[in-house]
Amino acid sequence: MSSPTVYLNGDYLPLSEARISVLDRGFLFGDGVYEVIPAYNGKLFQLSAHLQRLDNSLENIRLHPPHTHRQWQEILTTLLDDTPAQYLYLQVTRGIAEKRDHAFPQPVRPTVFAMATPIGSTLELQRGVKAITLDDSRWRLCHVKAITLLANILLRQQAVDEDCAEAILVIDDQVTEGAASNVFAVLDGTLTTPPNSNRILPGITRDVILQLARENRLPVVEAAISLKQLRTASEIWLTSSTREILPVVHLDGSVVGNGAPGPVWQSMNGLFQEYKQRVST
Ligand code: PDD
């Protein structure tokens, strides 16, 4: 099989030839940020929202944006092939520093990398997944999409070890988000998701769902969800760019609702698929 083309610091080259220095601060410190942008039928989904979030992440870690939105669009579009559903991964690190030092190098020449990856079918997952709740052991900058993901990795792996698809994270008895997803719950008939803060990533899928719910007059609020409320929810969903809207049908070993994707999920998933189709053709 031929090696897919990737972007690295201004060049398009086969993945098998892409190389970075072991002195890159992404490798040594996890000093960088990233984005994951879905593309359907060759069209980047919610591109400007993803690029705006990237700029926010870069600003938070005090890195200048290496490209304008127009340049990013050109780079990312160049990497797309004719796979119907794929995602673009892009990463910007603080580049190479000759001396390993926590403080920033001077000058900074960021390392910029991007690649396209097919999105596998999520149909099986859409029948419903199991999740567990875990203590949110992450830092206070969860609104930054940082490549430093060790806590998220350990939490997701603990979920997988317990035969679950995701860990739903809880801090001070309040739900934050999943290890790599946002959380929605249907509470007394109202679709509820925790408000944006430094405890969660402002999910782009989350925003699309909020917009679709408001446009279609589904009862929806951005409000705190306690662990107790989560346990009484009639529906729980996990949302992300690669998994879309996943119904959770088991939480901590107990059945959620009637153990199958619920009616609010059916409505929202229909609206979401329709919206995707509309903006991707
Ligand atoms: N992660 N919260 C966290 C911690 C995430 O890592 C993600 C997505 C989300 C959902 O955001 P969005 O809807 O914009 O994809 C929320 C991506 C998919 C990843 O790390 O692979």
Side-chain angles (χ1 to χ4, degrees):
M1 224 178 71
S2 69
S3 190
T5 298
V6 300
Y7 174 88
L8 182 61
N9 296 332
D11 294 323
Y12 296 93
L13 69 175
L15 176 62
S16 56
E17 288 171 25
R19 298 274 181 276
I20 59 156
S21 164
V22 291
L23 292 179
D24 194 279
R25 289 175 62 96
F27 178 63
L28 290 180
F29 291 113
D31 183 2
V33 295
Y34 75 110
E35 268 301 325
V36 173
I37 308 167
Y40 304 108
N41 304 322
K43 294 226 170 71
L44 293 151
F45 184 69
Q46 306 298 110
L47 178 65
S48 54
H50 279 279
L51 294 179
Q52 186 56 55
R53 185 172 68 185
L54 174 67
D55 286 345
N56 292 345
S57 295
L58 287 166
E59 192 181 335
N60 271 283
I61 72 159
R62 298 167 60 184
L63 255 184
H64 288 295
H67 297 305
T68 63
H69 287 197
R70 191 176 284 269
Q71 288 169 331
W72 277 122
Q73 181 165 15
E74 196 188 312
I75 293 164
L76 300 175
T77 308
T78 305
L79 296 175
L80 290 172
D81 59 25
D82 54 10
T83 310
Q86 47 197 316
Y87 72 86
L88 274 304
Y89 175 86
L90 71 86
Q91 168 170 321
V92 183
T93 77
R94 211 178 307 274
I96 296 164
E98 291 308 324
K99 180 169 165 284
R100 184 184 173 280
D101 183 348
H102 288 61
F104 301 164
Q106 279 309 334
V108 172
R109 268 183 292 274
T111 299
V112 182
F113 172 67
M115 64 178 171
T117 303
I119 298 181
S121 169
T122 55
L123 281 179
E124 198 174 318
L125 292 172
Q126 289 187 358
R127 277 191 233 126
V129 298
K130 295 186 201 166
I132 49 168
T133 56
L134 291 176
D135 180 45
D136 192 342
S137 53
R138 301 172 304 159
W139 64 344
R140 303 269 177 89
L141 298 177
C142 295
H143 59 302
V144 177
K145 202 160 172 59
I147 60 171
T148 329
L149 286 171
L150 196 48
N152 305 60
I153 289 167
L154 292 172
L155 291 160
R156 168 65 71 81
Q157 188 58 43
Q158 194 172 335
V160 169
D161 291 346
E162 298 187 30
D163 196 28
C164 289
E166 184 61 301
I168 295 180
L169 310 179
V170 177
I171 198 159
D172 296 334
D173 204 42
Q174 305 288 313
V175 173
T176 53
E177 61 178 344
S181 54
N182 290 113
V183 175
F184 284 80
V186 178
L187 304 174
D188 293 327
T190 299
L191 186 57
T192 310
T193 193
N196 280 335
S197 73
N198 63 343
R199 294 285 192 193
I200 72 169
L201 186 77
I204 307 301
T205 320
R206 174 188 178 280
D207 281 348
V208 172
I209 291 167
L210 289 173
Q211 181 195 324
L212 290 173
R214 288 175 184 137
E215 282 171 8
N216 291 277
R217 301 191 190 291
L218 300 180
V220 63
V221 287
E222 292 174 79
I225 302 173
S226 69
L227 182 55
K228 194 166 154 217
Q229 285 176 307
L230 188 73
R231 293 201 195 289
T232 62
S234 58
E235 299 187 27
I236 300 173
W237 314 338
L238 302 166
T239 69
S240 78
S241 293
T242 46
R243 290 173 152 191
E244 301 187 350
I245 315 174
L246 277 195
V248 174
V249 293
H250 274 87
L251 182 70
D252 294 333
S254 298
V255 169
V256 177
N258 64 6
V264 188
W265 179 84
Q266 301 284 356
S267 305
M268 181 51 75
N269 193 49
L271 292 168
F272 188 83
Q273 297 307 328
E274 210 176 86
Y275 178 76
K276 243 176 70 180
Q277 197 69 24
R278 192 156 22 104
V279 297
S280 314
T281 48

